[in-house]
Amino acid sequence: MGIISWARTRSPWLIHFNAGACNACDIEVLAALTPRFDVERFGALLKGSPRHADVMVVTGSVSRQVKDRLKRIYAQMPEPKFVVAVGSCAISGGTFQHCYNVMEGVDKVIPVNAYIPGCPPKPEAILDGVVKLLKSIGY
Amino acid sequence: MTEREFLIPVGPQHPALKEPENFLFKVEGEYVVDVEPRLGYNHRGIEKAMESRTYIQNLYLIERICGICSNAHQTCYTLNVEEVLGMEIPERAKYIRVFMAELERIHSHLLWLGVAAHEIGFDTLFFYIWRDREVVMDLLEMVSGNRVNYAMPTIGGVRRDIPSDKIPQYKKMLKILEERTKYYKEVAAKEQTILNRTVGVGVLKKADAVRLSATGPNLRSCGVAKDARVDTPYLVYDQIPFNVITYDGGDQLAQILVRVDEVLESVKICEYCLDHLPDGPIREKFSPLGRVPEGEAVNFVEAQRGEDIHYLQSRGGDKPYRYKIRAPTLANIPSLIERLKGGYIADIPIVLAGIDPCFSCTDRMTFIDIEKEKTWEMTGDQLRRYGIEWYNR
Amino acid sequence: MVQSIGDIIQIFVFPGFLFLLNYALFAEWLSRKFAARLQNRIGPLHTGWKGILQPLADSIKLLAKEDITPSAADKLVFYATPIVIFALPLASLLLIPIQSITNLWSFDPVISFEGDLILILLSMTIVILSIFLAGWSSSNRFGAVGATRAALQMLAYEIPLGLASIGPAIFAQSLSIKKIVNWQIESFTSFLQSPSLLAIPVWLIMATGFAVFVICLLAELELRPFDIPEAETEIVGGWQVEFSGRKLLLLVVGRDIKMVLAAALLTSLFLGGAAGPWPIPPLGWFIIKTVVCIFILSNLSILLARYRIDQMLYGSWKYLIPVSVLQAMAVIALTGVM
Amino acid sequence: MLSLIDEHSRLLDGLSIHLGTENVLDKKIPRERRIFVTVKKEKLKEAMRYLKEKENFIHISTITALDGGEYLEVIYHLTKKDLNLNLKVRTPHDDPTVPSISDIFNGAILYEREIHDLLGIKPEGHPNLKRLELPEDWPEDVHPLLKRWDLESIRKKINGGGE
């Protein structure tokens, strides 16, 4: 199993899903791609279609309308798939906890493998989260 | 739906749109015939939540409506509460708030310029612009301690002061930003591949822009000089010399140039603020349990995407009775529809990004189409059934 | 018997599949690293020395992923097209003269016959047709739009591609790549001994042919200015949207092999194939020249934004085709004179 | 040149003469560039037309609707150079309707859908009154910003009715 887990940890293809976020986390996820942080050093690429992706980066406290789209996108991803919840909204709904239209956290909708706290987490924190996720699936 | 029309859902999960919104396009081949925006994926019901929180708690909620214009919303909120309280904030606090607002404008416009380049497939420019944007992010982090969500304005003034020994360093960074933006302005105006994809694309006529009450760069790119900082001046904008940028192309190139010039204008305003920073306290006393007397207030702030209006009605007590927020993007959506019609599929991302939509602001109150259209990923058999049904219509 | 073993080794090991697959992965690493450096980034770094094993890691990961076939997809076509997209470029690479295993300094291809240039052009067209079928069979809207765009784009660049490649063929009076390469060597060596005035127009025509060929290859490889069929920001991955797992692997590696094929074709038609002065064997020259071509291709693709499909058609019908026709006519006129 | 405050009071007098003083319930100029005026519901369209033609207001910023306890209040925020006029109209709870002004100010077409969605105030004559930002599976009769709905009752209604 060494080769496959080596390959899996070395090339996590990301897909970014904004489940009702205030897009502070989204611009930090994007900043992680840019020259100063450059997540491609770890082999990560931002892919357009869920079919091509392994890791789904979800930002934002899931609003009621986005809930079933999120499930659908998660269902479309091929099997060894992982979910990273970025930002305190995605972890627990953040400041939008008592709003009537919010599901308060991604793990209430789909299973989550890694949580990255922060509002918004800095790009270094996001990179650290992705690398830790890679190590954990590298078992 | 004529014979050859074909429904292309764009979003809610789509690499071109950083935020979840769903536009249903009726297309004929590569031409867009009609657009039905279906948003509301971001709606979190903030206004209801604000009625059950105290004024200080609302500060944190208001800040997280939208990551890019968090400072604009907070400035407007604090102006409203201070107006109802009848509280006069120190002059230094006003200058620091204007300084923060303009820094955020630079940050947001550079971010948008990069995303616009990415939309038309020019990733190299996207990477270069976002690398230079890190300079303003570092500056914001030095001033406020955080790259996004700065939490500088608070009721009664500003939370952190600007140490005078740091001002020369801020000025040096602003100079770097100014040079880089001038370079990008030249690239945007001369690079042929950009011109091919932006000149005459998604054009909005001046009459339509005014009729549909558009705001911000979306309106100013059609030649209408309407800017909340001049029409309804707030803080110290009436003392600061700056001019309102307008271009009358009405297409995507005009949008790019308006925003790039506004960055240069903002750098001038920031430098003016740093030079004329009066000394004195930075905050009036306001206890977290403070009660606000009865009254109402309306305030306007020129956020990056346009005029941002907040209305506060308080009936005494420590919680607002009603707080209304209308973010700029909602005002720009009708004119966005005008721009999209008649264009190509390939132009959708650049025209959508043209108004620099911030759906997390808008979605507190964006709109949905009732017609029971499936989600973005029609399964195969639905498509086949839909196809059959469509052909024998 | 010996002869057949030699052939098997030639096809499967040395200038054949094994070497080409590794070279394709190396080419992908090269263009990704080059693109990153141009964009002031670092690019893949942590897998192997300076990230050189990154494409290998991507491929093995894709092999180990679940392979989803949409229920409504047209099963047979959905399975067949990735195989065609992978196999055809690999097979046509055998026609390119790289290095013969019998003696170190000669470079005759595995198979060579009159008209193998036409066969390569045909294989490229079939690959594009299978791209169209792949997009259409995936029964996804974005796939359908991507497929129609791929077909439209083929209309635009097939003709100039063919015409530009005819130039050297007419000069060499033959349609076999080996003879074209030999002609280039003779004309170049004769030019070194006795520079004649007549050589200048030949060089001029070859240069325009090279330029037209590069532009058409950009379109054929779906690289940046012409990556309209898989425009990621507009139609979410274009025709590849429904492929995953092994099928996606075939598509990704297939594209790398097509990149190597394009570079190899470019070198053998215009830059003198795998021939070069004494110290370095033909294999070395082949690698140097193809690396240079890959740099040219990926450099162009980095610096330009993406064109719209109608601009591309307009541009190619108005400029590319007339130039390639003129070039072909000039070649015929010149050979008449010579 | 008239000072801003005199300018505002001149405008207010012009408006009340045009509509008839009994229809203008109360007028308030809290500070420069701000006017609050309350008008009877029947006179709303007429006031809007007057403001558009005579006082060349062209831009409607937004429409705020709130549940004022015994009545529903709708505030139209109009802006032009150096002035923001807030026109208030009240309707009783049992008759939550307001004449639609989207034909006079086209920009208002969205804001009217929003007040219908969140507070159930129906703008008559609105071209396509569809639901605004609430999700598709939201029950028809729940208007979250009305005071009688609080968080628990909304959740109960949705979870009960919803999934």
Side-chain angles (χ1 to χ4, degrees):
Chain A
M1 270 303 274
I3 283 287
I4 293 186
S5 68
W6 170 79
R8 233 176 239 155
T9 52
R10 286 296 184 281
S11 89
W13 286 0
L14 310 173
I15 178 170
H16 166 244
F17 189 86
N18 174 319
C22 76
N23 75 30
C25 298
D26 308 314
I27 49 179
E28 294 299 77
V29 166
L30 267 177
L33 299 171
T34 51
R36 178 186 279 200
F37 304 101
D38 194 8
V39 79
E40 204 191 344
R41 286 175 290 144
F42 307 101
L45 288 174
L46 196 61
K47 282 289 173 183
S49 151
R51 292 276 196 251
H52 301 178
D54 320 318
V55 178
M56 180 164 165
V57 176
V58 185
T59 58
S61 51
V62 186
S63 67
R64 186 173 301 286
Q65 172 80 344
V66 154
K67 168 164 58 65
D68 44 18
R69 271 60 168 195
L70 182 60
K71 279 192 199 131
R72 178 182 288 274
I73 298 287
Y74 182 69
Q76 281 163 9
M77 284 166 66
E79 204 19 60
K81 51 192 173 188
F82 309 96
V83 176
V84 175
V86 173
S88 48
C89 286
I91 296 170
S92 66
T95 55
F96 304 107
Q97 240 153 16
H98 299 303
C99 298
Y100 56 82
N101 201 18
V102 156
M103 305 297 291
E104 288 169 6
V106 177
D107 41 23
K108 294 195 171 53
V109 179
I110 50 176
V112 172
N113 300 78
Y115 299 90
I116 302 179
C119 179
K122 293 170 78 121
E124 297 94 330
I126 295 174
L127 287 193
D128 182 39
V130 169
V131 168
K132 283 206 174 81
L133 172 71
L134 298 186
K135 289 220 169 28
S136 72
I137 56 175
Y139 33 81
Chain B
M1 277 280 281
T2 65
E3 200 54 48
R4 298 197 326 285
E5 269 176 26
F6 191 60
L7 209 55
I8 297 267
V10 171
Q13 190 279 326
H14 191 282
L17 317 174
K18 293 296 163 272
E19 287 149 304
E21 62 284 331
N22 186 344
F23 286 85
L24 278 177
F25 289 87
K26 289 201 179 73
V27 293
E28 269 182 24
E30 286 277 340
Y31 288 97
V32 174
V33 171
D34 192 11
V35 186
E36 289 152 43
R38 290 175 49 234
L39 309 159
Y41 297 92
N42 250 343
H43 180 61
R44 296 154 284 191
I46 287 172
E47 288 166 7
K48 185 74 178 176
M50 289 191 74
E51 284 159 13
S52 56
R53 293 172 189 222
T54 67
Y55 283 98
I56 290 291
Q57 280 172 334
N58 278 334
L59 257 176
Y60 306 112
L61 187 58
I62 275 274
E63 192 184 16
R64 285 167 176 76
I65 292 175
C66 150
I68 309 172
C69 37
S70 74
N71 187 289
H73 286 299
Q74 244 187 350
T75 316
C76 208
Y77 174 75
T78 45
L79 283 173
N80 261 341
V81 177
E82 278 143 15
E83 189 174 325
V84 173
L85 280 168
M87 174 194 279
E88 188 49 34
I89 66 169
E91 203 60 13
R92 187 178 177 88
K94 286 185 183 168
Y95 269 86
I96 294 177
R97 276 191 190 169
V98 166
F99 177 64
M100 284 306 292
E102 292 311 320
L103 270 187
E104 187 178 50
R105 196 185 311 280
I106 297 171
H107 153 59
S108 164
H109 281 340
L110 281 183
L111 179 146
W112 174 84
L113 205 59
V115 169
H118 175 62
E119 301 306 357
I120 53 175
F122 203 169
D123 283 351
T124 317
L125 191 60
F126 164 73
F127 284 114
Y128 272 84
I129 291 177
W130 275 54
R131 180 200 62 189
D132 293 331
R133 182 179 145 259
E134 293 297 325
V135 173
V136 76
M137 302 292 270
D138 294 346
L139 185 52
L140 282 165
E141 197 169 357
M142 266 192 249
V143 171
S144 69
N146 194 358
R147 290 161 57 92
V148 189
N149 296 344
Y150 323 113
M152 280 293 266
T154 175
I155 298 170
V158 179
R159 224 183 273 277
R160 287 176 204 78
D161 197 352
I162 294 185
S164 47
D165 57 359
K166 276 274 199 324
I167 289 183
Q169 191 182 359
Y170 295 160
K171 283 233 174 116
K172 193 158 53 59
M173 292 168 111
L174 284 170
K175 268 284 165 280
I176 299 169
L177 280 173
E178 193 170 12
E179 273 155 47
R180 293 309 297 172
T181 317
K182 282 205 176 85
Y183 168 71
Y184 291 129
K185 177 175 179 183
E186 215 208 308
V187 162
K190 291 200 179 49
E191 174 44 43
Q192 189 50 36
T193 43
I194 292 183
L195 293 179
N196 284 349
R197 290 299 300 277
T198 53
V199 172
V201 169
V203 181
L204 180 67
K205 288 189 284 304
K206 183 171 180 179
D208 288 344
V210 168
R211 177 175 61 83
L212 295 167
S213 5
T215 62
N218 180 25
L219 181 65
R220 288 195 286 274
S221 67
C222 309
V224 179
K226 190 171 185 322
D227 185 328
R229 293 173 292 182
V230 171
D231 289 355
T232 53
Y234 52 97
L235 294 174
V236 284
Y237 274 108
D238 37 16
Q239 297 157 17
I240 299 178
F242 72 97
N243 39 45
V244 178
I245 315 279
T246 60
Y247 279 82
D248 37 25
D251 56 6
Q252 300 312 310
L253 184 65
Q255 302 238 36
I256 292 177
L257 295 176
V258 162
R259 289 193 170 91
V260 167
D261 282 354
E262 273 181 10
V263 168
L264 300 176
E265 214 53 45
S266 299
V267 168
K268 281 204 209 71
I269 298 176
C270 288
E271 271 150 10
Y272 183 91
C273 287
L274 287 179
D275 299 343
H276 300 75
L277 202 56
D279 19 345
I282 58 165
R283 199 169 43 243
E284 286 296 328
K285 194 74 198 68
F286 177 75
S287 87
L289 307 164
R291 312 185 76 75
V292 174
E294 267 206 35
E296 57 185 349
V298 180
N299 261 297
F300 300 82
V301 160
E302 183 62 25
Q304 299 82 339
R305 291 165 190 78
E307 169 210 66
D308 177 19
I309 170 173
H310 288 212
Y311 168 78
L312 162 67
Q313 181 174 71
S314 95
R315 296 198 172 169
D318 59 356
K319 294 189 178 66
Y321 183 78
R322 168 74 165 112
Y323 199 86
K324 163 82 181 173
I325 305 152
R326 195 276 288 140
T329 307
L330 179 63
N332 287 330
I333 287 197
S335 41
L336 169 68
I337 308 288
E338 284 302 311
R339 284 177 186 270
L340 280 168
K341 281 190 184 140
Y344 290 98
I345 292 181
D347 291 333
I348 293 176
I350 182 69
V351 173
L352 264 182
I355 64 162
D356 187 358
C358 177
F359 292 104
S360 28
C361 294
T362 320
D363 256 356
R364 270 165 351 314
M365 54 189 82
T366 53
F367 48 93
I368 282 184
D369 195 345
I370 282 281
E371 183 214 317
K372 250 316 185 200
E373 178 54 65
K374 287 287 172 307
T375 54
W376 84 282
E377 182 72 36
M378 265 218 211
T379 56
D381 48 4
Q382 281 162 331
L383 185 69
R384 181 155 289 108
R385 221 176 28 297
Y386 168 75
I388 297 162
E389 180 197 289
W390 167 39
Y391 270 110
N392 52 36
R393 192 165 301 159
Chain C
M1 237 310 267
V2 171
Q3 224 281 339
S4 59
I5 294 171
D7 285 352
I8 289 165
I9 291 169
Q10 267 193 331
I11 291 172
F12 285 105
V13 179
F14 178 60
F17 298 155
L18 203 60
F19 162 72
L20 290 173
L21 278 177
N22 293 341
Y23 190 59
L25 294 180
F26 171 72
E28 188 198 337
W29 172 75
L30 211 64
S31 62
R32 253 170 91 172
K33 205 67 178 168
F34 184 67
R37 289 314 296 155
L38 264 181
Q39 290 167 351
N40 200 278
R41 290 185 297 120
I42 301 167
L45 192 63
H46 289 297
T47 42
W49 173 78
K50 281 238 186 321
I52 197 157
L53 297 179
Q54 181 61 43
L56 185 66
D58 290 350
S59 322
I60 298 173
K61 177 210 73 178
L62 280 176
L63 262 177
K65 270 193 91 70
E66 177 201 356
D67 193 342
I68 300 173
T69 314
S71 56
D74 184 342
K75 299 286 181 299
L76 176 68
V77 176
F78 198 69
Y79 277 101
T81 38
I83 298 164
V84 166
I85 292 171
F86 174 79
L88 264 179
L90 202 58
S92 45
L93 260 171
L94 296 178
L95 303 167
I96 307 278
I98 301 172
Q99 159 82 46
S100 84
I101 55 167
T102 45
N103 86 46
L104 192 56
W105 302 116
S106 94
F107 50 84
D108 42 22
V110 179
I111 318 147
S112 164
F113 52 89
E114 192 55 34
D116 49 19
L117 174 62
I118 303 297
L119 180 64
I120 289 184
L121 291 179
L122 177 67
S123 80
M124 282 185 179
T125 326
I126 293 175
V127 163
I128 298 295
L129 285 180
S130 54
I131 284 177
F132 173 77
L133 281 178
W136 198 259
S137 70
S138 64
S139 78
N140 173 320
R141 292 168 187 222
F142 294 114
V145 172
T148 39
R149 284 183 176 187
L152 272 172
Q153 191 166 300
M154 188 185 87
L155 284 179
Y157 74 80
E158 272 303 309
I159 301 161
L161 188 75
L163 282 173
S165 58
I166 293 301
I170 296 174
F171 272 131
Q173 310 291 340
S174 101
L175 277 174
S176 115
I177 295 180
K178 196 154 108 65
K179 291 201 183 74
I180 293 174
V181 169
N182 293 342
W183 168 75
Q184 281 170 32
I185 300 159
E186 281 144 29
S187 73
F188 188 71
T189 42
S190 68
F191 173 75
L192 286 182
Q193 273 107 20
S194 60
S196 74
L197 213 54
L198 200 62
I200 292 140
V202 172
W203 286 109
L204 211 61
I205 293 168
M206 290 292 270
T208 51
F210 183 80
V212 169
F213 210 75
V214 163
I215 295 171
C216 299
L217 282 183
L218 277 178
E220 202 246 321
L221 292 169
E222 288 173 9
L223 282 176
R224 176 54 56 172
F226 306 110
D227 68 342
I228 306 161
E230 50 156 285
E232 193 240 349
T233 48
E234 285 141 30
I235 40 174
V236 187
W239 56 275
Q240 298 160 347
V241 74
E242 281 299 341
F243 291 91
S244 63
R246 282 189 299 282
K247 293 197 275 297
L248 184 60
L249 167 70
L250 288 177
L251 293 184
V252 168
V253 179
R255 186 150 38 116
D256 299 339
I257 294 170
K258 234 173 28 171
M259 167 89 91
V260 171
L261 172 67
L265 210 55
L266 212 55
T267 52
S268 43
L269 285 182
F270 295 96
L271 303 177
W278 179 74
I280 306 168
L283 177 64
W285 277 110
F286 174 78
I287 288 178
I288 292 166
K289 289 182 182 169
T290 36
V291 162
V292 165
C293 291
I294 289 170
F295 272 170
I296 296 171
L297 286 172
S298 60
N299 184 350
L300 270 176
S301 87
I302 300 294
L303 297 183
L304 298 168
R306 180 186 308 127
Y307 279 105
R308 256 199 334 242
I309 188 78
D310 60 316
Q311 285 164 343
M312 185 212 165
L313 288 171
Y314 178 81
S316 89
W317 287 104
K318 194 140 188 283
Y319 302 110
L320 225 51
I321 292 183
V323 165
S324 52
V325 166
L326 272 175
Q327 185 244 353
M329 275 198 287
V331 163
I332 296 163
L334 209 63
T335 44
V337 163
M338 257 194 327
Chain D
M1 226 286 273
L2 290 158
S3 88
L4 274 179
I5 301 292
D6 311 338
E7 171 58 27
H8 300 335
S9 39
R10 179 203 57 72
L11 184 144
L12 270 180
D13 303 342
L15 181 65
S16 41
I17 295 161
H18 178 76
L19 295 179
T21 45
E22 78 288 353
N23 294 322
V24 177
L25 303 178
D26 78 48
K27 303 180 267 195
K28 197 170 67 174
I29 304 181
R31 66 179 173 97
E32 274 184 351
R33 297 188 180 85
R34 289 290 184 283
I35 296 178
F36 289 88
V37 60
T38 313
V39 171
K40 281 212 177 72
K41 193 166 83 168
E42 302 70 28
K43 289 288 180 184
L44 173 67
K45 277 220 153 189
E46 205 183 320
M48 284 296 178
R49 235 170 252 115
Y50 171 81
L51 289 171
K52 183 162 185 180
E53 274 108 24
K54 296 288 182 304
E55 300 296 334
N56 54 53
F57 274 96
I58 39 170
H59 179 80
I60 177 161
S61 290
T62 188
I63 301 175
T64 310
L66 57 95
D67 172 357
E70 327 76 42
Y71 53 87
L72 286 170
E73 189 173 70
V74 179
I75 309 166
Y76 297 85
H77 305 276
L78 305 175
T79 41
K80 68 173 180 178
K81 184 83 176 71
D82 282 336
L83 173 59
N84 156 39
L85 183 128
N86 308 298
L87 200 77
K88 290 190 183 178
V89 166
R90 287 193 175 137
T91 61
H93 262 289
D94 43 27
D95 160 27
T97 57
V98 169
S100 160
I101 59 154
S102 50
D103 46 356
I104 304 167
F105 288 102
N106 298 95
I109 198 162
L110 310 172
Y111 310 135
E112 284 174 344
R113 283 173 60 176
E114 193 252 337
I115 58 174
H116 168 66
D117 211 24
L118 287 183
L119 279 118
I121 300 171
K122 196 170 171 327
E124 262 108 12
H126 189 281
N128 67 342
L129 192 60
K130 290 182 184 140
R131 162 163 299 186
L132 202 59
E133 77 284 351
L134 290 174
E136 281 144 9
D137 53 8
W138 190 273
E140 283 303 324
D141 53 356
V142 176
H143 298 294
L145 283 184
L146 289 175
K147 283 300 172 189
R148 55 189 163 84
W149 290 101
D150 60 5
L151 197 58
E152 284 66 30
S153 57
I154 292 178
R155 281 260 165 86
K156 202 163 23 41
K157 188 80 171 51
I158 294 171
N159 294 347
E163 64 277 12

